[in-house]
Amino acid sequence: MIRFHDTMAREKRVFEPADPKRVTLYVCGPTVYNRAHIGNARPAVVFDVLASLLRHTYGEDEVVYARNVTDVDDKIIEAARDEGVEPSAITRRYEDFYLADMGALGVRPPDVAPKATEHVGEMFAMIASLVELGHAYEADGHVLFDVVSDPAYGALGRRDREAMIAGARVEVASYKKDPADFVLWKPSPEGVIGWDSPWGRGRPGWHIECSAMIERHLGTTIDIHGGGLDLIFPHHENEIAQSRCAHAGAPLARYWLHNGFLSMAGSEKMSKSLGNVVTVGELLEQGHSGETLRFALLSAHYRQPLEWSAQLVSQAKATLDRLYRTVGGAEAGEADAGVLDALSDDLNTPLALSRLSAIHDPGTLKASAALLGLLQGSSDVWFQGKGDDRIEERIMARAQAKQERNFAEADRIRADLALEGILLEDTPTGTTWRRA
Ligand SMILES: [Zn+2]
């Protein structure tokens, strides 16, 4: 029996998928305009463990996990302008980095990774139906969601109206009917990325992409929607309102899971605006293995805050050293029931990790750790590390492809290596590589 704490219900509930043959999970993914910091990696790792538990329980092919890529956004437009390049140059570069960084942390790519720019048509359709149903209106080149038209608005965060207006930091623009109304579509001036739409040339607001992509890839009502605590309001509240109003009241998700913040020891929540950020790339460059970072991220319960420190990382490394000595070169056997029980109880990873330390049979340890995405490498590599001629060969093949102007092949090689956590950098003197 699996139980999750459901943010909407404010309590732990037994998890029952609507269709055990197709369990659907959606997690809000990255906005790709810079390198991921270790706090950004927390939801990727937490929901990777959740997906692995669901696959173990319902079957490898019975789970559909979607995590979107936000590749149109004001921050992306700003970064592109600063560098004098197209937004797509920024988003391609940082999506590669994101996949490489998460790959280094042992995060398996989701089954579907939809991009906002490839779903503008789906967004048009949903916005048009919201307008038609009287839940959205056009004003001054914008299309806005009419919050007052949705009596259930605010159920997830349970905030009062004043707090919602203040919390959303919404601009009180003269064209809004209500200050809490949020943007579905906004105009793009000349020279800024945009699409021709029934409401003029423009681009989508942030929230509508998730509603449109969930509908397209997973359906009207999904089993689990996940993300960081900071997304509850306004992002998830707005996703819920858009989808429910477009779908005759059908709920967007049956269970809502949110992970807590990560902070630097002695500091507040890790965020770029506070300047207390350490990226996954920096930690890997310092010589920490991705597996050590993954262990450290799972050492606190996902709903609790996690304080990141050098001590946390060195403890994770010491525990993994011990576990790798136990597991040696064993083949996986049967997973330990205690580890499975811990994960099934609202993804209690600290309890599951402590259970691992109590397992003495190498085969059981390997199978149990697999549920957490740990101890799957060879213990020889863990203790010695190794070089790689194969990577140099791939780099040569990519240079050859570029020379032949076969850029699709060159990009494919780069992306394949990125999935293994190998980052390529083109310099005036040639291509270098490093582990993400
Ligand atoms: Zn979202």
Side-chain angles (χ1 to χ4, degrees):
M1 183 173 81
I2 298 180
R3 298 191 310 157
F4 295 127
H5 183 276
D6 175 13
T7 309
M8 185 71 88
R10 301 284 189 285
E11 63 181 13
K12 267 194 215 175
R13 295 171 55 213
V14 173
F15 177 66
E16 281 162 5
D19 175 4
K21 291 276 164 216
R22 190 170 187 269
V23 183
T24 47
L25 166 65
Y26 184 89
V27 174
C28 298
T31 302
V32 280
Y33 72 105
N34 62 6
R35 292 296 293 271
H37 63 66
I38 189 69
N40 300 141
R42 193 178 188 191
V45 169
V46 162
F47 291 109
D48 184 54
V49 173
L50 173 65
S52 139
L53 173 69
L54 295 174
R55 290 189 190 107
H56 180 88
T57 308
Y58 296 98
E60 185 68 27
D61 300 326
E62 327 295 324
V63 176
V64 191
Y65 174 18
R67 187 185 67 205
N68 69 311
V69 176
T70 298
D71 61 350
V72 53
D73 176 272
D74 290 352
K75 296 192 204 90
I76 295 168
I77 294 168
E78 213 171 287
R81 196 178 288 144
D82 287 350
E83 284 193 32
V85 297
E86 289 298 312
S88 60
I90 298 288
T91 57
R92 255 188 46 188
R93 182 196 313 157
Y94 289 107
E95 192 193 350
D96 277 358
F97 272 128
Y98 184 81
L99 288 175
D101 287 343
M102 296 311 121
L105 298 181
V107 174
R108 177 171 152 174
D111 303 299
V112 195
K115 292 182 189 177
T117 54
E118 292 169 5
H119 294 77
V120 176
E122 284 85 346
M123 293 189 237
F124 282 173
M126 190 173 266
I127 295 170
S129 80
L130 287 170
V131 170
E132 202 181 303
L133 292 163
H135 290 294
Y137 59 96
E138 201 181 340
D140 208 11
H142 296 66
V143 183
L144 294 140
F145 187 89
D146 184 347
V147 165
V148 173
S149 78
D150 176 18
Y153 187 78
L156 184 70
R158 291 193 201 168
R159 297 179 183 220
D160 64 34
R161 220 186 108 72
E162 292 304 311
M164 282 199 283
I165 292 170
R169 279 168 296 179
V170 285
E171 189 193 340
V172 184
S174 56
Y175 53 79
K176 287 187 183 179
K177 286 208 265 182
D178 186 286
D181 291 350
F182 58 89
V183 168
L184 301 172
W185 187 261
K186 59 186 173 187
S188 282
E190 202 53 49
V192 172
I193 186 171
W195 290 261
D196 289 324
S197 83
W199 316 284
R201 186 173 174 280
R203 60 190 191 277
W206 171 33
H207 316 296
I208 192 70
E209 71 178 64
C210 289
S211 286
M213 294 191 284
I214 288 171
E215 178 191 65
R216 161 84 172 76
H217 294 282
L218 301 179
T220 301
T221 299
I222 60 173
D223 289 311
I224 302 174
H225 194 312
L229 264 184
D230 51 337
L231 296 184
I232 294 178
F233 184 82
H235 184 55
H236 288 167
E237 206 77 75
N238 293 353
E239 281 186 30
I240 290 170
Q242 293 161 165
S243 293
R244 188 180 351 85
C245 290
H247 296 141
L252 172 58
R254 302 171 59 247
Y255 298 80
W256 285 88
L257 271 61
H258 290 98
N259 65 276
F261 294 131
L262 185 145
S263 63
M264 293 297 262
S267 175
E268 292 170 72
K269 175 196 164 192
M270 185 177 285
S271 79
K272 234 179 349 297
S273 52
L274 294 171
N276 57 349
V277 161
V278 57
T279 66
V280 174
E282 285 162 350
L283 287 162
L284 294 166
E285 265 165 36
Q286 288 165 19
H288 303 297
S289 79
E291 191 167 356
T292 300
L293 304 178
R294 182 182 179 96
F295 191 106
L297 285 169
L298 294 173
S299 64
H301 188 265
Y302 76 94
R303 297 183 59 224
Q304 299 302 318
L306 171 61
E307 193 168 275
W308 193 261
S309 66
Q311 197 195 4
L312 176 77
V313 178
S314 65
Q315 274 171 1
K317 166 78 166 61
T319 308
L320 279 167
D321 281 346
R322 192 158 39 72
L323 293 172
Y324 263 115
R325 270 193 287 277
T326 305
V327 83
E331 296 287 319
E334 281 288 304
D336 171 70
V339 172
L340 199 54
D341 285 351
L343 293 177
S344 300
D345 183 13
D346 196 26
L347 226 56
N348 191 338
T349 56
L351 182 60
L353 292 177
S354 76
R355 298 279 313 196
L356 287 186
S357 289
I359 298 172
H360 300 295
D361 177 73
T364 307
L365 178 56
K366 183 135 188 158
S368 310
L371 292 165
L372 292 138
L374 297 169
L375 302 181
Q376 299 309 293
S378 126
S379 64
D380 288 346
V381 171
W382 175 260
F383 287 112
Q384 293 158 22
K386 57 167 184 170
D388 211 328
D389 290 341
R390 194 185 56 90
I391 296 168
E392 299 296 342
E393 279 168 24
R394 305 302 309 282
I395 289 174
M396 303 265 284
R398 176 168 168 268
Q400 181 75 30
K402 277 171 111 176
Q403 210 162 29
E404 293 163 3
R405 307 196 63 78
N406 185 352
F407 296 111
E409 172 67 6
D411 284 349
R412 194 186 60 75
I413 293 172
R414 180 192 197 89
D416 283 353
L417 286 170
L419 281 177
E420 298 173 32
I422 307 297
L423 290 181
L424 302 186
E425 261 162 58
D426 293 319
T427 73
T429 53
T431 301
T432 62
W433 68 272
R434 61 191 172 78
R435 291 191 194 281

